[in-house]
Amino acid sequence: MLNSDDDLSESSMIGNKDVMIDVLSRLPLKSLLKSKCVCKCWNSLISDPIFIHTYSRRNPHHFVFGLFLQKFFFLEMYSDLEFITLGGDANSAPKTSLSFIQDKRGVHIRHSCNGLLVCSSFRCSMIDRIYYICKPTTKQYLVLPTRPGTRAVLGINVAFDPNRSPHYKVICICDSELSQEHRQIYIYSSDTRFWKPSGDYLFATSSGELLYDQGVFWNGALHWVGLGDSSLRFDVERERLFIMPMPPIPEGREERRLRYFGESGGHLHLIEIYGPHTSRFYVMEMKPHYSGWFVKYRVNLDQVAIQYPVMVRRGVPMLHRFVFSVLHLVRGGVGEESFLVLHIPGKFIKFNLEERTFVEISNLSPGLMTMNKQLGLEYKWDNIYPYTNILSNRQVYRCSRRRTSLRLRCAFYMGLLDNRAFDSALVHLGGDYPVVHQCHYGCHAFFLVLYRSKHVDLFLRAEPGKNRLLSSCGVPNR
């Protein structure tokens, strides 16, 4: 309990932004994200890039980066998920379950981008699917509103860049009433919370269908490739479509042998393997201004095949001799390694692209440790979803009443309710009641509220009869 002698020093501490930064940066990640619901001041401070940098540097153990691996089993309501940690603290890895999304038809992942997942209903017709945005680290999810029209969904992607905006957009590609060759694009914005057709929403496919579910968000645009000559990029902000250049398909080949397409470290990468020695291939990188592709890395996996003979088939043509899949490419910064994540029968390998060394990934879940190597490859790049628990991700839903009981309690102390209504509300809310101390500073009166939670003591200053929170601060009680 605070006494009046501490009023002036306490109010000074509450109004000190540096103190608040120091306090909030000590909170666990999940508690910090929930604290964004307390007031606009905290929400703004926690979303500030300077605070994000301070928090990330001070709490590197809260960061985790890795891959969701998804496959399907007959009659299972939810897709089978595994997670491989590639960076950060493995103890901070998300749970490999989507059961927190309560859908009686089951749920599976459709796309991922910078810590957000797009999921949909699983065992139902396309027209009956429900689509979700979720964050498995905090088990938050939002049911997307029904999209206008009833056209079939060919692909759905999420576009989110926390360095540019706290808002995300969902891009839905549907067939069109115009013709079977045309496609229509709808956009959902977390800012406006409704769907709208894109300004450049119709386009024709000239040589085969594009892989709309495997869109890659890079440089403010979604990129779609296909097995033919066509490839497109969609500028999300300007809602404009552009042709994206692709390497020519070798003479004598009818379609593109695509083995990987993705983004990492601010670079767009492409891997195509035509053989005949499929253990040797190039990693291509997009040039600035989309002027074409160039060879960034030359890869030779012959030594990997010698170390792990399970990836070699005997008595088959050279084109089909090596059994592996490229799951992901991680591009390191200055002084950091860049590597491929490879899957061979029963194992996962990290292949260093500069030094051409390799090591088996060992920190795997029991489900991945016990894979049957006789079953061959169980995962490919098109059912892999990169994930990171980026601090700056906006909360995917608006705070509910139960989750903002602290915020409501503060409103009661601001004089919005009379005493009887206030007492009734406290009984209804239950839990740990806040402690209130009425303070006077000169001719001004205000309430100082102490609310003790599991991790932190929150101090909030409110003026009676005013619908506003004057200032707030928190002190960890660990």
Side-chain angles (χ1 to χ4, degrees), residues 210-399:
L210 300 181
L211 303 177
Y212 297 114
D213 262 340
Q214 279 76 56
V216 176
F217 184 63
W218 174 70
N219 200 27
L222 276 166
H223 302 75
W224 298 297
V225 298
L227 302 182
D229 294 328
S230 296
S231 63
L232 293 170
R233 62 182 173 97
F234 178 70
D235 189 303
V236 175
E237 291 301 320
R238 294 190 293 166
E239 301 181 15
R240 295 280 308 278
L241 277 166
F242 301 91
I243 299 294
M244 182 174 66
M246 292 292 286
I249 299 176
E251 187 176 353
R253 300 286 183 179
E254 294 183 356
E255 65 178 20
R256 194 173 298 280
R257 291 180 60 88
L258 188 64
R259 290 296 189 94
Y260 174 78
F261 180 56
E263 180 273 341
S264 179
H267 305 274
L268 190 64
H269 301 107
L270 173 72
I271 297 177
E272 298 176 352
I273 304 178
Y274 293 97
H277 297 278
T278 56
S279 62
R280 305 170 189 176
F281 55 88
Y282 297 145
V283 175
M284 311 290 289
E285 180 181 329
M286 176 62 77
K287 295 179 181 179
H289 310 295
Y290 296 94
S291 57
W293 298 85
F294 70 96
V295 176
K296 179 62 180 179
Y297 301 106
R298 290 172 170 81
V299 180
N300 187 331
L301 301 180
D302 289 346
Q303 291 300 316
V304 180
I306 293 174
Q307 180 71 28
Y308 299 99
V310 69
M311 69 177 286
V312 182
R313 291 174 178 165
R314 306 297 180 184
V316 298
M318 180 64 73
L319 184 64
H320 306 291
R321 182 165 299 178
F322 297 96
V323 183
F324 70 94
S325 60
V326 179
L327 300 186
H328 193 61
L329 187 154
V330 177
R331 187 74 172 269
V334 178
E336 300 175 333
E337 67 172 332
S338 298
F339 58 89
L340 293 176
V341 180
L342 305 174
H343 175 36
I344 65 175
K347 298 182 182 298
F348 296 90
I349 307 296
K350 186 164 72 171
F351 183 88
N352 189 302
L353 289 166
E354 283 94 3
E355 300 178 0
R356 301 186 181 182
T357 57
F358 55 91
V359 62
E360 184 176 338
I361 299 176
S362 58
N363 56 334
L364 300 175
S365 65
L368 295 178
M369 292 288 288
T370 57
M371 286 191 307
N372 188 348
K373 65 179 67 176
Q374 303 301 323
L375 296 178
L377 300 179
E378 299 188 35
Y379 301 99
K380 295 185 179 180
W381 73 273
D382 54 357
N383 53 13
I384 301 301
Y385 302 92
Y387 182 81
T388 180
N389 59 344
I390 293 177
L391 169 62
S392 52
N393 283 352
R394 63 175 278 113
Q395 296 204 288
V396 297
Y397 60 86
R398 291 182 177 177
C399 303

Side-chain angles (χ1 to χ4, degrees), residues 52-63:
I52 293 168
H53 175 74
T54 301
Y55 185 88
S56 301
R57 185 190 50 189
R58 192 170 191 173
N59 302 277
H61 54 285
H62 291 326
F63 169 78

